[in-house]
Amino acid sequence: MGGTGGCNSLLSNDVVPVPSGPPRKVEVEAVNSTAVKVSWRSPVPNKQHGQIRGYQVHYVRMESGEPKGQPMLKDIMLADAQWEYDDTTEHEMIISGLQPETTYSFTVTAYTTKGDGARSKPKLVSTTGAVPGKPRLVISHTQMNTALIQWHPPVETFGPLQGYRLKFGRKDMDTLTTMEFSEKEDHFTATDIHKGASYVFRLSARNKVGFGEEMVKEISVPEEVPSGFPQNLHSESSTSTSVQLTWQMPILAERNGIITKYTILYRDINVAYQPVELPVVPADTTMTLSGLKPDTTYDVKVRAHTSKGPGPYSPSVQFRTLPVDQGR
């Protein structure tokens, strides 16, 4: 009888050195049309029989409940630091390169230095249908602050197209305008395309599964001189010989590029032909005029410049310096 016990002991240590229990809590989940996420936990500690060095994920395509084609294998080796008996660690692997709208069977095994252990029960999962590829996109900037957007269907649609989605806007603004079109439409004219700005256009096509990958195009519209003038010019405070002026940039659609500087033109209203022109560089929106005459009314206007030159002057604003005894 003792010999039989010795035989059992021999079996348990030498003949079964690989994990006798399968990985636990095996879950499979479709990520998209060509990828699946597989997650699992280690076998129960008393069935590991040594340090788990890694795992193998076996998978095969299924048709009508039967395996079809070659079974495939992905290996995940654990780093030295992960050779532990912690049974709470969750492992996961993304299996990619699969076929859309196809069912696969997955099993997972753990291995030690002695070899593979028991396989988990097969888990079935179906990949989703494929979304369309990128549409082809052509952007033509026209002179009248518009852009003509034209597109063609993707090469691969994976079923009938159900429409398109266009997102577009200035690159320096956070929000994009979103528009949807039917599958029969193939162009759109965007208005309010400002000169001197860069725009991004993102177009995706939709089938029954959803929207596909976006085709992204950018255009940069050349700068021009500003077509609008600075806004809300007013005086903040004054003394008998100075005044602090403040204004705002021209409205966005009329800047036509990056504002590089401003020019202030001012004159004593009693001296018609001697205006003084002052550049404001860098392009701050405040300026203190000094060396003025006390108790005198001045006429002031301001204009903005881009790299292409100056825009129009703002309407004139008048202000009066304080008398000498109040300006101290």
Side-chain angles (χ1 to χ4, degrees):
M1 294 297 283
T4 315
C7 181
N8 282 344
S9 157
L10 189 70
L11 277 171
S12 63
N13 289 332
D14 294 344
V15 182
V16 196
V18 297
S20 58
R24 293 169 301 147
K25 299 194 175 176
V26 176
E27 301 287 346
V28 288
E29 174 191 356
V31 176
N32 55 37
S33 61
T34 60
V36 165
K37 182 170 89 167
V38 186
S39 59
W40 65 91
R41 291 192 175 174
S42 60
V44 292
N46 62 0
K47 292 189 176 179
Q48 291 184 11
H49 308 301
Q51 284 188 327
I52 304 288
R53 297 299 179 96
Y55 294 90
Q56 287 182 337
V57 177
H58 305 254
Y59 57 105
V60 66
R61 188 161 57 88
M62 302 291 283
E63 269 180 31
S64 309
E66 294 295 321
K68 282 280 177 190
Q70 284 292 103
M72 288 159 283
L73 177 77
K74 287 276 186 175
D75 193 282
I76 177 169
M77 280 186 70
L78 299 183
D80 293 8
Q82 292 175 285
W83 294 351
E84 53 189 38
Y85 297 103
D86 180 1
D87 60 340
T88 60
T89 305
E90 186 164 290
H91 301 278
E92 66 177 44
M93 175 185 275
I94 301 287
I95 306 288
S96 54
L98 305 177
Q99 298 295 312
E101 292 187 276
T102 303
T103 302
Y104 290 86
S105 170
F106 287 85
T107 59
V108 186
T109 62
Y111 60 84
T112 63
T113 53
K114 302 285 189 184
D116 291 358
R119 285 194 180 197
S120 63
K121 285 187 181 138
K123 285 267 185 167
L124 295 179
V125 66
S126 297
T127 52
T128 60
V131 291
K134 292 180 183 180
R136 288 164 290 162
L137 181 61
V138 180
I139 314 288
S140 324
H141 174 245
T142 62
Q143 288 310 304
M144 300 303 295
N145 284 7
T146 63
L148 175 62
I149 301 147
Q150 298 169 287
W151 58 85
H152 303 280
V155 176
E156 293 190 315
T157 61
F158 300 106
L161 289 185
Q162 295 183 354
Y164 297 92
R165 180 172 63 199
L166 174 69
K167 298 177 182 175
F168 69 96
R170 283 180 66 125
K171 277 186 73 180
D172 57 357
M173 306 296 276
D174 288 339
T175 52
L176 296 178
T177 299
T178 300
M179 305 191 71
E180 297 208 0
F181 300 91
S182 76
E183 71 281 2
K184 294 184 177 65
E185 293 176 275
D186 63 1
H187 68 279
F188 171 69
T189 300
T191 54
D192 291 333
I193 301 295
H194 307 149
K195 296 184 176 86
S198 292
Y199 284 81
V200 63
F201 298 85
R202 300 174 170 271
L203 184 74
S204 55
R206 178 164 62 96
N207 63 11
K208 67 174 187 183
V209 178
F211 283 102
E213 194 178 350
E214 291 179 326
M215 173 59 91
V216 181
K217 285 280 176 86
E218 294 181 6
I219 62 166
S220 292
V221 187
E223 284 200 330
E224 303 257 339
V225 300
S227 49
F229 49 78
Q231 302 287 299
N232 193 23
L233 173 63
H234 64 284
S235 71
E236 289 275 324
S237 60
S238 58
T239 69
S240 58
T241 59
S242 70
V243 64
Q244 185 185 7
L245 300 171
T246 299
W247 59 92
Q248 288 157 353
M249 300 172 84
I251 63 173
L252 187 63
E254 296 177 349
R255 289 176 204 164
N256 299 344
I258 296 168
I259 303 300
T260 54
K261 69 173 183 176
Y262 294 93
T263 306
I264 290 177
L265 193 70
Y266 71 99
R267 65 181 181 87
D268 177 341
I269 61 164
N270 300 308
V271 185
Y273 302 110
Q274 289 184 320
V276 178
E277 193 172 80
L278 280 181
V280 182
V281 186
D284 292 330
T285 53
T286 183
M287 170 79 170
T288 299
L289 300 183
S290 51
L292 305 178
K293 290 186 273 186
D295 203 13
T296 304
T297 300
Y298 286 86
D299 185 277
V300 183
K301 49 193 177 183
V302 61
R303 65 183 177 182
H305 298 242
T306 65
S307 65
K308 295 293 184 184
Y313 272 111
S314 66
S316 295
V317 171
Q318 294 191 342
F319 65 86
R320 192 171 182 86
T321 51
L322 299 176
V324 172
D325 57 350
Q326 288 181 259
R328 291 197 180 124

